[in-house]
């Protein structure tokens, strides 16, 4: 079958993929020729997901390794699957119900709503798996796992698999070992979904905010002398005060304050440490008094140096409250509204005051039940309550005041500012006073899916006592059983795990693994795989199951062995676990990778993988983070539509430098499409010269012609380069080596060098060259297959009679260094060097491309003379040379070309318009020098080196070096032209 003019990805890729699937090419163990296994686990994308550039990037790297190992004969498994994605899935289905004007979640009830989710999953879930096939992913799709498979709520069509059983078994075992417990801790709370969420689901955004300054009056009208001093101890400001000033960005949380903290070294407040101060909000007769304490947390240089401690609504305050034994009062309900439950405020405040005075003890349950929100604020949205609290404090005169011209207010100052309430010059009566409300940028946490402000909330949750299981995970990396690439990832890994907090694993959702714990009327807990077992543990008692579900990170932490049938001791588990390498983004090193390490070692006493390859976020061509707002999002499916999957994949591999910045550029993707076309055209050239119909060599061709011996050796060299690079996970080095070999040495040089032999050679020379070219192209197809599977599989099928598909064809490991012919390599390298040198010199001086020129040989040793003589027709044709004559010296106005053992000169007189070339080069040099000046200014600026990201600094320095090298070349060329009369 004749090759078409070009390869059409849109027309052929789907058919090629279908043929792979029909042949079972991706099944675990397909193509196995050795007992060694290679296992790679796909980081399970959300069931709601769609293929984005991050997926496309790391899927490409995983597929390269999988196809490479499969071709090497390993018993290979690339395990696919999906995560049930609690919040994301629940949101999708709720939106779908609303759009269809169907009853919502609350109206349907838990059982009916979960049934709706399973319906959606059957119809629309898993779109990303179909998209992954478009990329060419060679996963064993028959083994695709789902983190909710086997759940009791699943319909019959979704009962396959036992991942749910694995999750429940691990929970029960860890609970029984004391590794899981229920407790009240501060968590990220999403008021929209009414659930705790992980840090990874929190998006911190810089927003316009305010900091309000308020006075907390000292109890009993006490006063103290407030003194501010400079670094030398000189007094800057002094006044008698009856209050302590605090600043807050969330005034509504003042109602839950348990203390005011100052730094132990802050002399301004030393006199009042241990005193009580009054929270300046709420009914006057019931206002609480709270202690002024010391703690290392407050920053003496920020604001007033005094910090209100609201342990139930701030993560830093929570730690201070724990250290100081300060009660933590929750103010809000699950929707982010001020609580409206409990006893009247006067009673609650009286109890809280007794606790603060030490007259009454407190415990967690007692504090949790108390509602310290005054009636005037109960039931208000938190932001409505904020406005009311601010207004009430200000109306009472307890806002810190300052002059209207204070620059902290965010207004233009018209005269020297003063700070009468917090130091500075004394004000005059003429100064207009206003509340001190600083306008400033603040970092505010938002739910990444709900898009609402996250509230730190003190709630009852289930936790893994990570302190008990973190040790083996740390040891596995320290002793080298698991390697993290790049090495910088190890430092992050150690830092996180050495400072680990208990892991909150419960979520207040309906979609997910419901926690297998039942409670009796007295609150006693019964943990069991099912209700029957729990009831057997509590005979005669009425049990209620905990309504919460497990965090998806808990279930996905079991992914490396849960997908292989654990807790059943399946053949797959015995064969493919532990796995080999995990490829994932560095952003989930802690959230997923570290947790898989901990869970795997805790449950199976085995590491889940020996290598973790971490990559950065894929950014746009300028290194900017992609966002819809910026309009710089690149859709990988759109790139596949335009340029084919192979081009996108090769681009991904080429940019995959370990630890490097990942910049995706459509122009580069387009360029790699052209690379595929270059290979296709080489195959068409071979076809037109009967390469594929001529008798094939048995194994590696036995070549006599220098050019054929050379290309066989070059093929062996690139195979070794690719293997070494992939073994070290240097995907970019492997891609670049293949690009240079296939485009440069095969499609350019070898095709050109073969033409005389194919067109005019003797019969034996022609056959040898046909056999060598057929063999070389086969090796190109095989070596490129892991990177560009579609076009190589197509070419493989169209260029010969094959025993099997390329995806299952053995990797060319027989290509060893013994095939490198040093004499042929030296001769051809010399020839290529001379042709390249002459071409470069011609281009530099704008010598017309079609003009044949005379070249002078100034000197040449015997090897150079031999190489020239043997390859003279090719040199003359490819470098557009009329004659090569000997000369004793380089004439003036000539360009020299130096190659190993020889020097040649290109006389320019009469070939070019010297004045025009001087003018062109001078303009180019002037432009370059201007660029160099700008780049040097940045590169040599210490501030730039300190503030810019390291990759930007390195890029600037490299650009400067490149421009300086270009400038030197132009200066040399101008000097040569100046020699011509």
């Amino acid at each position: 079958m004749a090759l078409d003019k070009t390869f059409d990805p849109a027309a052929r890729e789907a058919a090629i993929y279908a043929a792979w699937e029909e042949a079972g090419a991706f099944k675990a163990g397909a193509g196995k020729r050795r007992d060694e296994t290679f296992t790679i686990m796909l980081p399970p994308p959300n069931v709601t997901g769609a293929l984005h550039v991050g997926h496309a990037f790391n899927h490409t790297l995983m597929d390269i390794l999988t196809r490479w190992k499969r071709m090497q004969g390993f018993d290979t498994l690339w395990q696919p699957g999906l995560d049930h994605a609690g919040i994301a899935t629940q949101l999708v289905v709720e939106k779908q119900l609303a759009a269809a004007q169907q009853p919502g979640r609350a109206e349907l009830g838990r059982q009916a709503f979960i049934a709706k989710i399973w319906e959606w999953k059957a119809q629309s879930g898993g779109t990303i798996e179909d998209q992954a096939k478009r990329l060419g992913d060679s996963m064993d799709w028959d083994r695709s796992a789902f983190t909710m498979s086997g759940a009791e709520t699943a319909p019959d069509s979704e009962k396959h698999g036992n991942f749910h059983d694995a999750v429940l078994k691990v929970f029960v075992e860890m609970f029984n070992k004391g590794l899981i417990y229920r407790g009240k801790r501060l968590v990220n709370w999403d008021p929209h979904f009414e659930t705790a969420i992980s840090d990874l689901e929190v998006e911190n955004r810089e927003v316009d905010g305010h900091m309000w300054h308020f006075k907390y009056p000292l109890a009993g009208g006490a006063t103290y002398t407030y003194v501010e001093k400079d670094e030398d101890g000189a007094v800057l400001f002094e006044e008698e005060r009856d209050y302590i000033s605090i600043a807050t960005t969330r005034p509504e949380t003042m109602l839950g304050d348990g203390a005011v903290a100052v730094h132990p070294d802050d002399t301004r407040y030393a006199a009042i440490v241990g005193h009580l101060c009054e929270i300046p909000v709420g009914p006057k007769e019931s206002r609480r008094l709270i202690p002024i304490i010391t703690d290392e947390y407050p920053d003496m240089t920020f604001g007033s140096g005094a910090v209100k401690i609201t342990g139930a609504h701030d993560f830093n305050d929570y730690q201070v409250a724990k250290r100081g034994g300060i009660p933590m009062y929750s103010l809000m309900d699950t929707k982010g509204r001020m609580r409206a439950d409990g006893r009247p405020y006067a009673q609650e405040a009286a109890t809280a005051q007794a606790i603060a005075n030490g007259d009454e003890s407190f415990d967690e349950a007692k504090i949790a039940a108390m509602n310290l929100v005054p009636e005037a604020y109960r039931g208000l949205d938190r932001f409505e309550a904020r406005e009311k609290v601010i207004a009430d404090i200000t109306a009472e005169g307890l806002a810190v005041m300052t002059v209207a011209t204070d620059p902290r207010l965010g207004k233009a100052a018209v005269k020297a500012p003063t700070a009468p309430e917090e130091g500075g010059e004394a004000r005059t009566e003429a100064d207009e006073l206003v509340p001190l409300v600083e306008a400033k940028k603040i970092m505010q946490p938002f739910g990444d899916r709900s898009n609402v402000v996250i509230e730190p909330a003190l709630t009852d949750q289930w936790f893994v006592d990570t302190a008990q299981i973190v040790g083996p995970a740390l040891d596995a990396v320290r002793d080298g059983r698991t390697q993290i690439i790049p090495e910088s990832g190890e430092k992050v890994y150690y830092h996180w795990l050495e400072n680990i907090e208990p892991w909150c694993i419960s979520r207040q959702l309906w979609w997910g693994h419901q926690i297998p714990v039942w409670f009796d009327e007295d609150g006693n807990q019964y943990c069991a795989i099912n209700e029957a077992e729990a009831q057997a543990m509590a005979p005669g008692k009425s049990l209620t199951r905990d309504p919460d579900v497990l965090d998806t990170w808990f279930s996905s932490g079991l992914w490396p062995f849960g997908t292989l049938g654990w807790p059943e001791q399946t053949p797959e588990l015995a064969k493919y676990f532990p796995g080999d390498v995990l490829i994932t983004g560095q952003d989930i090193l802690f959230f997923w990778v570290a947790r898989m390490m901990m869970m795997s070692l805790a449950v199976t006493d085995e590491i889940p993988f020996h290598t973790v390859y971490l990559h950065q976020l894929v950014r746009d061509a300028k290194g900017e983070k992609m966002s819809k707002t910026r309009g710089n999002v690149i859709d990988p499916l759109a790139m596949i539509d335009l340029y084919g999957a192979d081009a996108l994949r090769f681009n991904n591999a080429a940019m995959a430098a370990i630890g490097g910045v990942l910049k995706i550029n459509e122009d580069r993707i387009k360029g790699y499409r052209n690379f595929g076309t270059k290979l296709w055209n080489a195959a068409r050239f071979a076809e037109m010269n009967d390469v594929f119909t001529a008798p094939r060599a048995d194994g590696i061709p036995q070549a006599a012609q220098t050019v054929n011996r050379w290309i066989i050796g070059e093929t062996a060299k690139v195979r070794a380069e690719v293997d070494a690079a992939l073994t070290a996970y240097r995907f970019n080095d492997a891609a670049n080596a293949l690009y240079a070999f296939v485009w440069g040495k095969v499609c350019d040089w070898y095709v050109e060098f073969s033409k005389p032999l194919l067109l005019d050679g003797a019969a034996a020379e022609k056959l040898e060259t046909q056999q060598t070219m057929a063999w070389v192209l086969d090796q190109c197809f095989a070596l490129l297959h892991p990177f560009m599977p579609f076009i190589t599989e197509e070419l493989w099928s169209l260029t010969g009679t094959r025993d099997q598909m390329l995806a299952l064809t053995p990797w060319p490991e027989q290509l060893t260094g013994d095939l490198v012919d040093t004499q042929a390599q030296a001769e051809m390298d010399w020839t290529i060097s001379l042709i390249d040198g002459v071409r470069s010199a011609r281009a530099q001086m704008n010598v017309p491309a079609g003009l044949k020129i005379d070249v002078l040989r100034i000197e040449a040793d015997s090897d150079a003379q031999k190489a020239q003589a043997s390859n003279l027709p090719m040199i003359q044709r490819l470098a557009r040379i009329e004659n090569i004559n000997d000369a004793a010296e380089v004439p003036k106005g000539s360009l020299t070309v130096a190659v190993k053992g020889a020097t040649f000169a290109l006389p320019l007189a009469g070939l070019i318009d010297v004045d025009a070339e001087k003018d062109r080069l001078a303009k180019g040099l002037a432009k370059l020098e201007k660029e160099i000046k700008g780049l040097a200014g940045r590169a040599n600026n210490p501030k730039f080196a300190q503030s810019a990201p390291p990759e930007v600094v390195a890029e600037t320095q490299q650009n400067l070096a490149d421009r300086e090298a270009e400038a030197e070349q132009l200066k040399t060329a101008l000097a040569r032209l100046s020699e011509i009369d």
Side-chain angles (χ1 to χ4, degrees):
M1 177 179 175
L3 291 173
D4 291 337
K5 187 175 180 181
T6 59
F7 175 64
D8 184 354
R12 292 296 302 146
E13 285 180 350
I16 293 169
Y17 200 95
W20 284 327
E21 290 199 281
E22 186 178 348
F26 305 151
K27 291 182 179 295
K32 170 187 170 184
R33 296 185 305 280
R34 59 175 79 178
D35 292 334
E36 298 158 276
T37 62
F38 177 78
T39 308
I40 190 164
M41 292 281 165
L42 174 75
N46 287 352
V47 67
T48 59
L51 192 76
H52 57 60
V53 288
H55 293 129
F57 176 77
N58 65 25
H59 283 215
T60 296
L61 304 192
M62 285 183 270
D63 196 46
I64 287 171
L65 291 181
T66 303
R67 287 179 181 270
W68 176 52
K69 289 295 184 180
R70 188 182 291 120
M71 293 174 77
Q72 287 183 325
F74 283 76
D75 185 338
T76 302
L77 167 64
W78 184 9
Q79 174 66 51
L82 296 167
D83 190 281
H84 63 277
I87 289 180
T89 304
Q90 194 158 307
L91 175 61
V92 165
V93 176
E94 284 192 77
K95 284 185 174 180
Q96 188 181 63
L97 292 172
Q101 297 183 325
Q102 294 184 27
R105 176 166 61 98
E107 297 168 271
L108 286 170
R110 185 169 190 146
Q111 186 174 354
F113 179 70
I114 291 175
K116 288 288 185 184
I117 293 181
W118 281 112
E119 285 179 25
W120 170 86
K121 197 266 181 181
Q123 295 168 5
S124 306
T127 297
I128 193 171
E129 290 193 338
D130 294 330
Q131 294 171 339
K133 293 181 180 182
R134 291 197 60 196
L135 186 66
D137 288 356
S138 62
M139 297 184 227
D140 184 351
W141 296 108
D142 291 342
R143 293 191 49 80
S144 187
F146 183 47
T147 54
M148 281 288 286
S149 66
E152 59 268 23
T153 60
D156 291 341
S157 60
E158 295 281 357
K159 289 291 187 185
H160 63 281
N162 65 337
F163 207 97
H164 180 67
D165 295 341
V167 173
L168 297 191
K169 181 177 176 61
V170 168
F171 185 98
V172 172
E173 287 187 357
M174 294 182 75
F175 178 92
N176 290 335
K177 292 177 181 177
L179 300 176
I180 289 179
Y181 65 93
R182 191 168 187 260
K184 193 179 292 292
R185 290 179 63 90
L186 204 64
V187 296
N188 297 307
W189 187 264
D190 189 315
H192 175 79
F193 291 114
E194 298 181 73
T195 181
I197 62 174
S198 73
D199 289 344
L200 192 64
E201 293 159 320
V202 176
E203 184 178 304
N204 288 298
R205 305 175 193 167
E206 187 178 67
V207 298
D208 291 325
H210 296 87
M211 181 172 283
W212 289 267
H213 292 247
F214 298 125
K215 299 176 181 179
Y216 281 47
L218 298 181
T223 63
Y224 68 108
T225 303
Y226 177 85
V227 180
E228 285 192 0
K229 299 178 181 179
D230 64 16
E231 293 179 355
D232 299 323
V235 174
L236 296 174
F237 175 79
E238 180 177 333
E239 74 171 1
E240 200 71 10
R241 288 188 174 179
D242 62 357
Y243 66 89
I244 185 168
S245 171
I246 63 94
T248 179
T249 59
R250 297 196 298 156
E252 69 279 8
T253 64
M254 294 168 65
L255 300 163
D257 288 352
V260 170
V262 298
H263 195 279
D265 297 333
D266 198 334
T267 58
R268 294 173 295 177
Y269 304 114
I272 56 172
V273 170
H275 288 224
L276 298 176
C277 61
E278 181 182 283
I279 299 174
V281 65
K284 183 67 176 174
E285 64 278 6
S286 299
R287 285 190 186 165
R288 292 189 294 121
L289 297 175
I290 57 176
I292 298 171
I293 65 169
T294 59
D295 192 271
E296 297 287 336
Y297 167 61
D299 181 352
M300 292 186 288
T301 65
F302 184 77
S304 68
V307 180
K308 72 185 196 69
I309 302 302
T310 319
H313 290 277
D314 182 274
F315 286 101
N316 291 315
D317 292 3
Y318 175 74
Q319 297 298 334
V320 177
K322 281 177 60 180
R323 289 193 291 269
I326 299 166
M328 295 181 267
Y329 301 105
S330 294
L331 302 172
M332 300 175 196
D333 64 15
T334 59
K335 293 183 180 295
R337 298 175 303 206
M338 308 308 286
R339 287 173 58 182
D341 63 321
R343 299 182 302 168
Y345 174 70
Q347 293 180 34
E348 301 283 39
T351 302
Q353 191 60 64
I355 292 171
N357 294 341
D359 300 333
E360 190 171 322
S361 63
F362 70 91
D363 58 31
E364 193 175 84
K366 183 175 184 177
I367 294 297
M370 293 175 64
N371 180 3
L372 289 176
V373 179
E375 278 78 8
Y377 308 127
R378 291 189 176 189
L380 294 179
D381 176 81
R382 53 189 162 153
F383 299 116
E384 291 179 294
R386 175 181 299 177
E387 297 302 318
K388 189 166 177 55
V389 166
I390 293 167
D392 290 348
I393 295 175
T394 304
E396 194 174 335
L398 291 175
V400 171
M401 307 298 284
T402 188
V403 292
T405 53
D406 190 330
R408 290 176 293 177
L409 303 176
K411 301 173 184 177
V414 296
K415 59 181 177 178
T418 63
E421 302 292 348
E422 296 187 11
E425 300 175 4
R427 61 182 174 82
T428 69
E429 293 298 324
D431 289 325
E432 179 189 354
L433 293 181
V434 295
L436 176 52
V437 183
E438 295 184 62
K440 60 189 304 176
K441 295 287 186 182
I442 60 172
M443 295 303 295
Q444 196 159 55
F446 288 81
D448 65 349
R449 287 189 167 83
S450 66
N451 206 35
V452 302
V453 176
I454 296 305
E455 186 68 37
L458 193 61
T459 60
D460 288 313
Q461 303 289 344
W462 288 94
F463 295 89
V464 172
D465 187 359
T466 44
Q468 293 193 59
I469 64 172
V470 71
L474 281 165
D475 292 341
V477 176
R478 285 179 178 140
D479 63 26
R481 280 176 291 150
T482 296
Q483 178 189 15
I484 298 177
I485 301 172
E487 191 175 348
S488 59
E490 290 187 6
K491 296 177 183 177
V492 177
Y493 181 85
Y494 294 145
H495 174 75
W496 276 338
L497 293 193
E498 287 166 355
N499 297 278
I500 198 165
E501 293 283 336
W503 170 17
C504 176
I505 57 171
S506 49
R507 297 291 182 264
Q508 290 63 54
L509 302 170
W510 287 354
W511 174 240
H513 303 277
Q514 192 170 353
I515 288 173
V517 175
W518 284 259
F519 299 92
D520 63 20
E521 301 93 327
D522 300 320
N524 297 310
Q525 301 172 359
Y526 305 92
C527 183
I529 291 292
N530 53 50
E531 187 171 3
E533 289 188 15
Q535 194 67 65
M537 298 164 66
K541 293 183 178 290
S542 177
L543 299 183
T544 303
R545 187 172 186 176
D546 191 312
D548 289 355
V549 299
L550 285 164
D551 171 22
T552 54
W553 294 110
F554 184 89
S555 49
S556 62
L558 315 181
W559 190 249
F561 51 93
T563 52
L564 299 174
W566 188 95
E568 301 298 326
Q569 296 304 306
T570 63
E572 291 83 4
L573 185 66
K575 183 184 294 187
Y576 298 116
F577 181 79
D580 289 274
V581 60
L582 176 76
I583 296 179
T584 191
Q586 63 180 8
D587 56 324
I588 57 172
L589 173 59
F590 177 67
F591 293 97
W592 187 46
V593 180
R595 288 168 180 174
M596 279 192 289
M597 291 286 286
M598 288 190 292
M599 297 295 279
S600 182
L601 286 160
V603 174
T604 70
D605 202 30
E606 293 274 10
I607 58 170
F609 25 69
H610 62 67
T611 301
V612 177
Y613 177 100
L614 301 173
H615 62 80
Q616 295 191 35
L617 183 73
V618 179
R619 299 175 179 271
D620 70 8
K622 296 179 180 178
E624 298 289 337
K625 184 177 179 179
M626 293 186 200
S627 74
K628 291 180 180 178
T629 304
R630 286 196 182 101
N632 63 344
V633 173
I634 292 180
D635 179 357
L637 297 173
M639 295 298 99
I640 292 173
D641 288 340
L642 287 170
Y643 308 114
D646 292 323
L648 176 62
R649 289 170 59 105
F650 203 88
N651 174 81
N652 290 341
M655 71 179 180
I658 292 176
V661 178
L662 306 178
K663 299 179 183 179
I664 192 165
N665 185 328
E666 184 175 346
D667 287 340
R668 290 191 65 189
I669 297 171
K670 183 178 180 180
Y672 291 125
R673 186 224 17 216
N674 297 340
F675 173 52
T677 300
K678 187 79 171 179
L679 177 63
W680 187 270
N681 287 340
R684 290 187 69 226
F685 169 82
E687 181 183 56
M688 288 186 288
N689 285 277
D690 302 323
V691 165
F692 304 126
T693 54
R696 295 262 178 158
D698 185 13
I700 300 169
Q702 299 299 308
Q705 298 299 309
T706 300
V707 69
N708 291 329
R709 288 186 285 120
W710 164 75
I711 198 62
I712 290 171
E714 291 299 312
T715 307
K717 283 164 59 180
V718 78
R719 196 281 304 168
E721 284 184 67
V722 171
D723 277 355
L726 291 182
T727 300
Y729 304 102
R730 299 194 316 271
F731 297 94
N732 61 314
D733 289 346
N736 292 335
L738 284 168
Y739 186 90
F741 170 73
V742 173
W743 185 302
K745 293 185 177 176
V746 175
C747 298
D748 273 352
W749 294 115
Y750 182 61
V751 165
E752 289 297 330
F753 289 157
S754 70
K755 286 178 180 177
L757 296 171
L758 291 171
L759 298 176
D760 304 317
E765 294 172 341
K766 181 176 182 179
L767 178 60
E768 175 193 307
T769 304
Q770 288 172 326
Q771 292 179 333
T772 302
M773 183 170 286
W775 177 85
V776 167
L777 287 172
D778 277 359
Q779 310 319 303
C780 287
F781 304 155
L783 292 168
L784 270 176
H785 181 73
F787 300 80
M788 306 180 84
F790 289 104
I791 192 171
T792 53
E793 188 71 73
E794 183 83 332
L795 285 167
W796 179 260
S797 68
L798 296 176
T799 56
T801 302
R802 311 296 187 177
D803 295 332
Q804 58 193 340
M805 303 187 80
L806 180 56
L808 297 175
T809 293
W811 185 252
E813 294 176 274
Q814 75 280 10
L815 303 183
T816 65
D818 296 342
L819 295 175
V820 177
D821 186 316
T822 54
Q823 184 274 326
Q825 180 182 343
E827 184 175 315
M828 296 311 300
D829 285 352
W830 187 94
T831 302
I832 291 170
S833 177
L834 177 58
I835 295 168
D836 264 345
V838 174
R839 284 175 169 177
S840 177
R842 292 176 63 120
Q844 186 181 15
M845 289 302 179
N846 252 2
V847 175
L851 180 65
K852 289 192 173 184
I853 62 173
D854 288 338
V855 171
L856 301 178
R857 187 175 71 184
I858 308 303
E859 56 182 350
D861 62 19
S862 58
D863 287 341
Q865 291 179 38
K866 181 180 178 183
Q868 178 184 326
S870 299
N871 298 282
L872 185 59
M874 287 188 289
I875 293 169
Q876 288 180 296
R877 182 165 59 86
L878 296 178
R880 305 297 291 167
I881 295 173
E882 187 69 43
N883 298 296
I884 299 179
N885 302 310
D886 289 328
E889 60 182 20
V890 177
K892 287 186 177 182
S894 298
L895 287 182
T896 56
V897 175
V899 292
K900 185 177 180 181
T903 303
F904 294 84
L906 280 67
L908 297 173
L911 294 179
I912 59 175
D913 184 332
V914 175
D915 290 336
E917 281 307 301
K918 282 182 180 179
D919 185 57
R920 182 181 68 86
L921 293 175
K923 287 179 180 177
L925 182 59
K927 183 180 178 182
L928 269 177
E929 287 176 338
K930 187 176 180 180
E931 288 184 42
I932 289 168
K933 184 177 180 181
L935 287 169
R938 293 180 68 198
N940 299 327
N941 185 341
K943 290 184 179 179
F944 171 71
Q946 293 169 5
S947 60
E951 61 271 13
V952 175
V953 175
E955 185 177 7
T956 301
Q957 291 171 338
Q958 185 60 53
N959 285 342
L960 175 60
D962 292 344
R963 297 298 178 273
E964 288 175 337
E966 281 185 61
E968 286 304 313
Q969 288 182 339
L970 292 185
K971 288 176 183 177
T972 300
L974 278 168
R976 292 297 187 195
L977 290 177
S978 297
E979 296 173 354
I980 302 175
D981 295 330

